[in-house]
Amino acid sequence: MLKKKKIVKLISNNKFLVDEFPVEKYSKNPPKWFKDIHVNLSEYADINDWQTTAKGCAGIWDFLKSAYIIRWNFDLKFNIHENETYEYYPRKNKNMVKDITFFSPPMYSIHTPVADNKLTLNTIKIDLNWFITSQTKGKVLMTDPFFNYNKEYKIISGVVEPKYSNGVNVIIEPSSPVINIKRGDPALAVIPLDGQKLVTEYGNSKDWNIVNKNFYKQDTMGSGWYERYRKQDK
């Protein structure tokens, strides 16, 4: 029996988003500072033997080749306050995001080792206009693009199984009172953990049926739906 190919799809019902910002390997467009580094360390240091800079690091290149980058498709500015409030502008609309919400401090931030930094009490959740889906089992890591070196916030990482959970969220832990999100910058790195190929599409009827079924399960199975749903599907 032929095995199903392991394919993960990032889909959107916004045609213009898919066309303008297709999700690509990080290695296709790495950060400019990294592209500008010479491989030969002697360009920067007085040495006689051949040594390489980080440009020759296998671990960095494997990260860039393994990660797919979702990019921000809008500009947005957050003002973060120490009294657990924030505001942002311009106002959100359906072409930017599905929603912008937050984790209340008792849900997450007050339990972390950095809770004494009042800015981190605002854990912001940006629900992007993407869905991630698959017809086969397999997990993906959603994490910080890292080599973009954003000093204004940290992204909280997570692992999901796209056959069962389809939302694509960027969860931000602020480290600056002002956060500037810039259109075209990396928003999230998505790394398949089980050998899946990741593609960007508008999505077909099967893809949207998976998404709608999973949201139905989430809405009707109650607390712990994700683990119980996965255990049922054996």
Side-chain angles (χ1 to χ4, degrees):
M1 181 182 295
L2 291 175
K3 290 185 177 179
K4 281 186 178 180
K5 289 183 179 180
K6 290 186 174 182
I7 295 176
V8 171
K9 293 183 179 182
L10 276 161
I11 63 175
S12 178
N13 52 17
N14 188 321
K15 175 184 184 298
F16 304 104
L17 170 62
V18 176
D19 288 346
E20 187 176 13
F21 292 103
V23 179
E24 298 178 326
K25 287 280 187 75
Y26 209 176
S27 56
K28 283 192 173 182
N29 189 16
K32 184 178 183 303
W33 72 265
F34 186 78
K35 286 192 287 188
D36 290 346
I37 298 176
H38 289 282
V39 175
N40 191 343
L41 185 61
S42 66
E43 294 285 338
Y44 309 103
D46 186 15
I47 56 174
N48 296 319
D49 59 332
W50 171 261
Q51 296 181 44
T52 64
T53 62
K55 194 71 168 280
C57 175
I60 293 177
W61 274 113
D62 271 354
F63 183 92
L64 295 175
K65 291 175 181 178
S66 299
Y68 295 81
I69 295 298
I70 297 175
R71 296 185 179 274
W72 301 113
N73 67 309
F74 52 83
D75 293 322
L76 196 65
K77 182 176 180 178
F78 285 92
N79 290 318
I80 311 296
H81 308 295
E82 293 189 355
N83 62 354
E84 302 172 24
T85 64
Y86 64 90
E87 68 265 350
Y88 57 85
Y89 58 89
R91 293 177 63 182
K92 66 185 179 185
N93 60 63
K94 66 178 182 179
N95 285 309
M96 294 169 61
V97 294
K98 291 198 288 290
D99 205 359
I100 298 175
T101 56
F102 64 96
F103 291 173
S104 66
M107 288 175 65
Y108 180 80
S109 59
I110 63 171
H111 310 289
T112 70
V114 293
D116 57 334
N117 179 352
K118 300 296 185 182
L119 295 175
T120 68
L121 296 178
N122 297 275
T123 310
I124 301 167
K125 178 182 176 184
I126 303 177
D127 195 1
L128 300 180
N129 278 327
W130 291 102
F131 297 90
I132 189 165
T133 184
S134 179
Q135 296 183 38
T136 59
K137 291 186 177 182
K139 297 179 180 180
V140 300
L141 169 66
M142 295 188 178
T143 191
D144 198 307
F146 184 67
F147 295 108
N148 195 46
Y149 281 102
N150 192 303
K151 298 179 180 180
E152 297 175 351
Y153 61 84
K154 171 186 173 184
I155 290 176
I156 298 173
S157 301
V159 173
V160 298
E161 192 155 6
K163 187 179 180 183
Y164 308 104
S165 181
N166 310 113
V168 178
N169 308 308
V170 184
I171 301 176
I172 288 176
E173 184 179 81
S175 51
S176 168
V178 177
I179 293 175
N180 289 287
I181 288 174
K182 296 180 181 179
R183 196 173 195 268
D185 278 358
L188 194 66
V190 181
I191 303 176
L193 299 178
D194 293 297
Q196 312 100 307
K197 178 183 178 181
L198 192 147
V199 297
T200 308
E201 294 184 2
Y202 304 133
N204 56 40
S205 58
K206 286 185 178 179
D207 299 325
W208 292 112
N209 281 339
I210 291 171
V211 172
N212 291 330
K213 178 182 177 182
N214 290 342
F215 277 114
Y216 167 78
K217 293 289 186 179
Q218 180 177 350
D219 289 344
T220 60
M221 291 182 71
S223 179
W225 72 273
Y226 183 53
E227 288 301 324
R228 289 190 288 119
Y229 183 24
R230 289 198 301 176
K231 288 177 181 177
Q232 290 175 5
D233 187 31
K234 291 185 178 179

